Amino acid sequence: MMPEDPTRILVDTVQKLQRRGHKRNLQNLLDKTRPADIAILLRHIPEPEEQLRLFRVIEEVDKKAEVLSEMAPTVLPGFLGALSDDALVPLLEEMPGDDTADILEFVSEERKSALLRKMSREEMTEAQDLLQYDPETAGGIMVPDFFALSEELTCDLAIQALRDVHDELEMVFYAYVTNAHGHLVGVLSLREVVTAPPDTPLRDVMETEVTRVRTSDDQETVARLVARYNLLALPVVDDNNCLVGIVTVDDVIDVIREEATEDMFRMAGAGDATFGFDTGSIFASTRSRLPWLFASWIGGVLAGGIIQGYEERLLQVAALAAFIPVIIGMAGNVGTQSLTVVTRGLALGQINTHQIVKVVGRELAVGVFCGFIYGALLGVAGAVLISFQGGDINPMRFGLAVGLALCTGMLIAAAVGAAVPMLLHRLSIDPAVATGPFVTTSVDILGVLVYFNLATVLLGL
Amino acid sequence: MMPEDPTRILVDTVQKLQRRGHKRNLQNLLDKTRPADIAILLRHIPEPEEQLRLFRVIEEVDKKAEVLSEMAPTVLPGFLGALSDDALVPLLEEMPGDDTADILEFVSEERKSALLRKMSREEMTEAQDLLQYDPETAGGIMVPDFFALSEELTCDLAIQALRDVHDELEMVFYAYVTNAHGHLVGVLSLREVVTAPPDTPLRDVMETEVTRVRTSDDQETVARLVARYNLLALPVVDDNNCLVGIVTVDDVIDVIREEATEDMFRMAGAGDATFGFDTGSIFASTRSRLPWLFASWIGGVLAGGIIQGYEERLLQVAALAAFIPVIIGMAGNVGTQSLTVVTRGLALGQINTHQIVKVVGRELAVGVFCGFIYGALLGVAGAVLISFQGGDINPMRFGLAVGLALCTGMLIAAAVGAAVPMLLHRLSIDPAVATGPFVTTSVDILGVLVYFNLATVLLGL
């Protein structure tokens, strides 16, 4: 058994206190609960009005802002709808710029303009700057609050500067060093600043090779660099190499989890990952899954059309129908295996598209081995079955037909499952999208075709 | 088209330089290349001897150690086999303790003992301490080098202490505060230490509610806490609440990527994730995938057995066979969708097992909608098809049979796909393991059963 879930205990306690009107106790409990946990708690409360009632119990505006930034994208629209502009504006001003921009993506254009107008000039400009970037790029996930120092500064003045900025910055790990033009020229860890001789100019202690990304770079690129080089933050530059923001490691963790979930949902044809845990909208979820199922539907209908074309032979040897599920099922599974291995390898940067021959060859080899083993097993099963049935079908030939069909189907599936993501990736299309349904569909059709043709030839139908 | 892959350029350049014997240029190139990139480079070199030749070109022992810690688990066994004990020991001593322990997991018990004996006493003890923990727990991924200070210390003395430990520690973000018994009692960010009034004792500025894990906690728990609370490091305590190590955010990123890959491979029945990008061992990969395919094989054969039982009816209405692929295929896809949504929701902690009725109900509802839409479509297609064929089958009834079978099959699949991972999770079994093949297998069998029974009743066979 799993240990009792702490979230559930929290939800139960809060609901009990709320029902009994113990406002004071509720306040104490929320004071001690971290913003991230309150955000999770709010996801378990069904009605936006009820969520808002609890949210209002939180006293400090900075904690409220943090809770709002941590809230799930599925709860946000309803919650924001219940929250008045006057209550929302101070929270938007309080949170880091990237979070403000994220929240504003969830309201209508009209309301967005109204909210921006009500915000302080500085906060508004910052949010507007960030809103111009695609939310899934480096520009979209960066914060414009970074700690940048001139290369002329000495280490002790740098520490002084650090004390001065104290409360404004989110997380400081690196001091970025810029030249007179604002170009990023170096980086120092905070620790290097603290431990270097106080009168050294930063220019002499800084690292000059700085890993950086452009505002337009995809968030997956950002995540891969941070993961590969074990970074805590990554500087973001504009087209002129001027430092405009940083992406911090905590946002990268969210990106990695998000992208992995997205990939899984896409590969399973489960549509948009934001509907995954949405306990509210069954219709949105249905709408997002329907198109992927259509590929499978078409594939099945086409495979059915092919079977229909062999009706005469099916009437001669009805046992042929019995082997349809195992042949298309196994081929589909092998195809999914190859697909997953290759798609994930591409996502993690472990294989590149130039290795297409090698990768497909390797999956083909695995397909041959698996196909041979299960084909042989099925061939024997088929031969035994048909010989018990009697009739004038040659058991050896029948076994050969089903075994060979399974083996060939699995071979084709492995090749398709490996080749399709490689080709899509080469065309700059995310291989996780739609590959799943596409592979199973083509494998359905090809599998049935191979099976009935082999049976026709080998059984002389 | 994708931009030219930088890894490929690096691999090509290195191989060219090596072939032409330009040792000096090669050295310059490797000097400028980061350890993580060299590790990726080595993965693209087929032979361990060749890898070793390149590895030897790296001059500094600390860079060599970093390259070794970054090397992929698929290249490691071969590479370690080619490396002599005398070359390996200094590298093991140089790298952080958790990496030493990880590397030692890849050699035989005999060699492990021999290597430990050759290491310095301190490094050996550290590695041995870490080797006692399961590699997938907090103990297995922690480093025993942390920055801990007594609660009595003042902030300026703490900065002094920080200057002194300078080179020994990997990454310092937080100063952990312990009492006289070594119990973890507080935490401070490095920045708080630097910016607080110099003569304040740490006790007065530290945060006393410290999120912590035990050595035996699963690495997924660690990852979830770090992601939820945006931490840079998490302290690990033993059963007496004594601080024994920390897990840093860079290791957590690796855990998150690893676990996501593992989940995907398991759900696809693609076996062990370490064989995913292994371009060497086709046999290992085949062996790891075979068992999952067996579930599918059995399912297909059983479904075939059921179809065989309806042979008589199949001979009366051969068109029934044509609809087998679409019915089991679509049901399988819906099952996979529900499975993915629920498994991922559980892995991310978005749903808990107490919500089983709600979650299964929701997936069932989505299944009803999808099933109704595609069932209606298929019903019409079936009715049209059979009426063109002529014969004495009632087209309406035939359409009803296939449409209803598809709808029911999808309904069952959604319920199974949602319920199975919930139940497994409740039994503390990772729902990502084997659920995929299990769900498609049961859906195959149930789908065929429903289909032929509906046809029998509705067509009066």
Side-chain angles (χ1 to χ4, degrees):
Chain A
M1 288 292 293
M2 300 288 289
E4 192 66 38
D5 185 344
T7 309
R8 191 179 152 77
I9 299 173
L10 183 65
V11 174
D12 288 350
T13 314
V14 164
Q15 287 182 331
K16 211 178 291 164
L17 291 175
Q18 228 172 357
R19 232 180 299 120
R20 296 191 190 152
H22 290 185
K23 215 149 183 190
R24 191 56 179 261
N25 293 352
L26 193 59
Q27 188 128 43
N28 285 340
L29 180 62
L30 290 190
D31 271 354
K32 277 189 295 182
T33 309
R34 294 174 183 239
D37 293 327
I38 299 181
I40 291 171
L41 169 67
L42 289 173
R43 206 163 56 204
H44 286 81
I45 293 176
E47 286 304 312
E49 282 71 29
E50 226 185 309
Q51 290 164 7
L52 194 58
R53 210 146 47 86
L54 190 68
F55 186 75
R56 288 213 186 96
V57 177
I58 307 166
E59 283 179 294
E60 299 110 34
V61 69
D62 59 333
K63 191 164 186 177
K64 277 187 171 173
E66 263 192 85
V67 171
L68 187 59
S69 350
E70 299 272 355
M71 270 172 68
T74 46
V75 198
L76 264 180
F79 185 78
L80 290 174
L83 206 62
S84 73
D85 283 8
D86 290 334
L88 187 49
V89 166
L91 303 179
L92 292 176
E93 290 184 331
E94 183 67 30
M95 60 179 72
D98 59 332
D99 291 343
T100 310
D102 285 349
I103 297 282
L104 288 175
E105 300 282 357
F106 283 89
V107 301
S108 67
E109 283 302 320
E110 254 171 285
R111 194 174 180 200
K112 195 197 283 183
S113 313
L115 288 167
L116 283 169
R117 270 197 306 276
K118 287 184 185 171
M119 282 165 67
S120 77
R121 183 144 200 95
E122 192 194 345
E123 301 290 337
M124 183 201 74
T125 320
E126 191 181 297
Q128 268 179 330
D129 281 351
L130 290 173
L131 278 169
Q132 65 181 303
Y133 304 111
D134 179 331
E136 304 223 329
T137 62
I141 55 171
M142 73 182 186
V143 279
D145 320 280
F146 46 83
F147 187 55
L149 299 166
S150 157
E151 53 179 344
E152 322 280 335
L153 225 58
T154 56
C155 287
D156 53 348
L157 286 176
I159 295 179
Q160 191 55 51
L162 182 68
R163 285 188 205 246
D164 293 345
V165 296
H166 195 181
D167 268 347
E168 284 169 40
L169 301 183
E170 237 198 322
M171 292 196 194
V172 179
F173 325 106
Y174 303 115
Y176 296 102
V177 186
T178 49
N179 64 15
H181 308 290
H183 297 165
L184 178 63
V185 291
V187 65
L188 276 159
S189 77
L190 188 54
R191 213 164 133 249
E192 286 168 311
V193 180
V194 175
T195 56
D199 53 350
T200 330
L202 295 179
R203 189 195 286 121
D204 295 350
V205 279
M206 72 188 188
E207 173 72 49
T208 53
E209 288 218 12
V210 193
T211 307
R212 68 194 75 196
V213 285
R214 289 188 175 212
T215 48
S216 57
D217 282 339
D218 194 274
Q219 63 175 1
E220 276 197 84
T221 308
V222 177
R224 215 175 292 153
L225 286 172
V226 168
R228 183 182 290 184
Y229 301 126
N230 297 336
L231 302 172
L232 296 173
L234 192 59
V236 185
V237 295
D238 65 14
D239 292 343
N240 302 315
N241 194 29
C242 286
L243 187 59
V244 291
I246 58 167
V247 179
T248 52
V249 69
D250 56 318
D251 291 326
V252 167
I253 287 189
D254 294 339
V255 168
I256 291 174
R257 288 173 26 129
E258 229 175 71
E259 296 276 344
T261 307
E262 256 179 48
D263 282 358
M264 280 193 219
F265 275 50
R266 284 175 181 162
M267 288 178 62
D272 194 334
T274 41
F275 299 122
F277 44 88
D278 184 358
T279 44
S281 172
I282 287 166
F283 289 101
S285 199
T286 304
R287 244 200 334 270
S288 118
R289 293 190 202 176
L290 274 178
W292 309 113
L293 288 174
F294 188 65
S296 169
W297 192 86
I298 283 286
V301 168
L302 289 179
I306 295 170
I307 295 174
Q308 193 69 17
Y310 290 93
E311 191 192 338
E312 221 175 293
R313 280 151 243 193
L314 206 55
L315 288 174
Q316 285 177 264
V317 191
L320 281 176
F323 289 88
I324 295 173
V326 68
I327 287 168
I328 62 177
M330 293 276 299
N333 280 356
V334 168
T336 307
Q337 289 181 341
S338 294
L339 182 65
T340 306
V341 170
V342 173
T343 305
R344 192 64 189 155
L346 286 168
L348 293 180
Q350 288 161 343
I351 46 181
N352 62 58
T353 46
H354 297 277
Q355 297 171 297
I356 185 160
V357 175
K358 192 172 163 187
V359 170
V360 174
R362 189 174 165 280
E363 289 304 315
L364 215 54
V366 175
V368 169
F369 285 120
C370 293
F372 184 80
I373 291 168
Y374 286 111
L377 266 173
L378 193 70
V380 172
V384 170
L385 180 108
I386 205 85
S387 67
F388 270 115
Q389 265 200 342
D392 53 359
I393 308 290
N394 180 327
M396 283 287 284
R397 281 170 175 271
F398 187 81
L400 197 62
V402 292
L404 214 53
L406 182 64
C407 186
T408 318
M410 285 170 77
L411 206 79
I412 294 172
V416 172
V420 168
M422 296 290 274
L423 292 171
L424 287 179
H425 194 257
R426 207 154 187 168
L427 298 169
S428 293
I429 300 169
D430 183 347
V433 176
T435 358
F438 180 80
V439 167
T440 42
T441 293
S442 52
V443 160
D444 270 8
I445 298 170
L446 293 173
V448 165
L449 212 54
V450 165
Y451 177 40
F452 278 99
N453 273 307
L454 274 173
T456 306
V457 172
L458 283 169
L459 303 181
L461 297 174
Chain B
M1 289 289 294
M2 300 289 288
E4 192 67 35
D5 184 343
T7 310
R8 191 179 152 75
I9 298 173
L10 183 65
V11 173
D12 288 350
T13 314
V14 164
Q15 287 181 331
K16 212 178 289 163
L17 291 175
Q18 228 172 359
R19 234 181 296 119
R20 297 192 187 152
H22 290 184
K23 215 150 183 185
R24 190 56 179 263
N25 293 352
L26 193 61
Q27 188 129 45
N28 286 340
L29 180 63
L30 290 190
D31 270 356
K32 278 189 295 185
T33 309
R34 294 174 182 239
D37 294 325
I38 300 180
I40 291 172
L41 169 67
L42 288 173
R43 205 163 55 201
H44 286 81
I45 294 177
E47 287 302 313
E49 283 71 27
E50 228 186 306
Q51 291 164 6
L52 194 57
R53 212 146 46 85
L54 191 69
F55 186 74
R56 287 212 187 98
V57 178
I58 307 165
E59 285 180 294
E60 299 110 32
V61 69
D62 58 334
K63 191 164 185 179
K64 278 187 171 175
E66 262 192 84
V67 171
L68 187 61
S69 351
E70 297 273 355
M71 271 172 68
T74 48
V75 198
L76 264 180
F79 185 79
L80 291 174
L83 206 64
S84 73
D85 283 8
D86 290 334
L88 186 51
V89 165
L91 304 179
L92 292 176
E93 290 184 332
E94 182 68 30
M95 60 180 71
D98 59 333
D99 292 343
T100 310
D102 285 348
I103 297 281
L104 287 175
E105 301 281 358
F106 283 88
V107 300
S108 66
E109 282 302 319
E110 254 172 283
R111 194 175 179 198
K112 195 196 283 183
S113 314
L115 287 168
L116 283 169
R117 271 197 306 276
K118 288 184 183 170
M119 282 165 65
S120 77
R121 183 145 201 94
E122 191 194 343
E123 302 289 337
M124 185 201 72
T125 320
E126 191 181 298
Q128 268 178 330
D129 281 351
L130 290 173
L131 278 169
Q132 66 180 301
Y133 304 112
D134 180 330
E136 305 223 328
T137 61
I141 55 171
M142 73 180 185
V143 280
D145 320 280
F146 46 82
F147 187 57
L149 300 165
S150 157
E151 54 180 342
E152 322 279 336
L153 225 56
T154 57
C155 286
D156 53 349
L157 285 176
I159 295 179
Q160 191 56 50
L162 182 68
R163 287 190 205 246
D164 292 345
V165 295
H166 194 185
D167 269 347
E168 282 168 43
L169 300 184
E170 240 198 319
M171 292 195 194
V172 179
F173 324 106
Y174 302 116
Y176 296 103
V177 186
T178 50
N179 64 14
H181 308 289
H183 296 165
L184 178 63
V185 291
V187 66
L188 276 160
S189 78
L190 187 53
R191 212 165 131 248
E192 286 167 310
V193 179
V194 175
T195 56
D199 53 349
T200 331
L202 295 179
R203 188 194 288 119
D204 295 349
V205 279
M206 72 188 189
E207 173 73 49
T208 52
E209 288 219 10
V210 192
T211 307
R212 67 195 79 196
V213 284
R214 290 189 172 209
T215 50
S216 57
D217 282 339
D218 194 274
Q219 61 175 3
E220 276 196 85
T221 308
V222 177
R224 214 173 295 154
L225 287 172
V226 167
R228 181 181 292 184
Y229 301 126
N230 298 336
L231 303 172
L232 297 172
L234 192 59
V236 185
V237 295
D238 64 15
D239 292 343
N240 301 318
N241 194 27
C242 286
L243 187 58
V244 290
I246 58 167
V247 178
T248 52
V249 70
D250 56 318
D251 291 327
V252 168
I253 287 189
D254 294 339
V255 168
I256 290 175
R257 291 176 20 132
E258 228 174 73
E259 296 275 346
T261 307
E262 256 179 48
D263 282 359
M264 282 193 217
F265 275 51
R266 283 176 182 162
M267 286 177 62
D272 192 334
T274 42
F275 299 122
F277 43 90
D278 184 357
T279 44
S281 172
I282 289 166
F283 289 101
S285 199
T286 304
R287 243 200 334 268
S288 118
R289 294 192 203 173
L290 274 178
W292 309 114
L293 288 173
F294 188 66
S296 169
W297 192 87
I298 284 288
V301 168
L302 289 178
I306 294 170
I307 296 174
Q308 194 68 16
Y310 290 93
E311 192 190 338
E312 223 175 292
R313 280 152 243 192
L314 206 55
L315 287 174
Q316 285 177 262
V317 192
L320 280 176
F323 290 86
I324 296 173
V326 69
I327 287 167
I328 62 177
M330 295 274 303
N333 280 355
V334 169
T336 308
Q337 288 180 342
S338 294
L339 182 64
T340 306
V341 170
V342 174
T343 305
R344 192 64 189 156
L346 286 168
L348 294 179
Q350 288 161 343
I351 45 181
N352 63 56
T353 45
H354 296 278
Q355 297 171 295
I356 185 157
V357 175
K358 191 171 166 189
V359 170
V360 174
R362 189 175 166 279
E363 289 304 314
L364 216 53
V366 176
V368 169
F369 285 120
C370 292
F372 184 80
I373 291 169
Y374 286 111
L377 267 172
L378 193 70
V380 172
V384 170
L385 181 109
I386 205 86
S387 67
F388 270 113
Q389 264 199 346
D392 53 357
I393 308 290
N394 181 329
M396 284 287 283
R397 281 171 176 271
F398 186 80
L400 198 63
V402 293
L404 215 54
L406 183 64
C407 186
T408 317
M410 286 170 76
L411 207 79
I412 294 172
V416 172
V420 168
M422 296 290 274
L423 292 172
L424 287 180
H425 194 258
R426 207 153 188 169
L427 298 168
S428 293
I429 300 169
D430 183 347
V433 175
T435 357
F438 180 81
V439 168
T440 43
T441 293
S442 52
V443 161
D444 271 8
I445 298 170
L446 293 173
V448 165
L449 212 53
V450 165
Y451 177 40
F452 278 98
N453 273 309
L454 274 172
T456 305
V457 172
L458 283 169
L459 304 179
L461 298 173

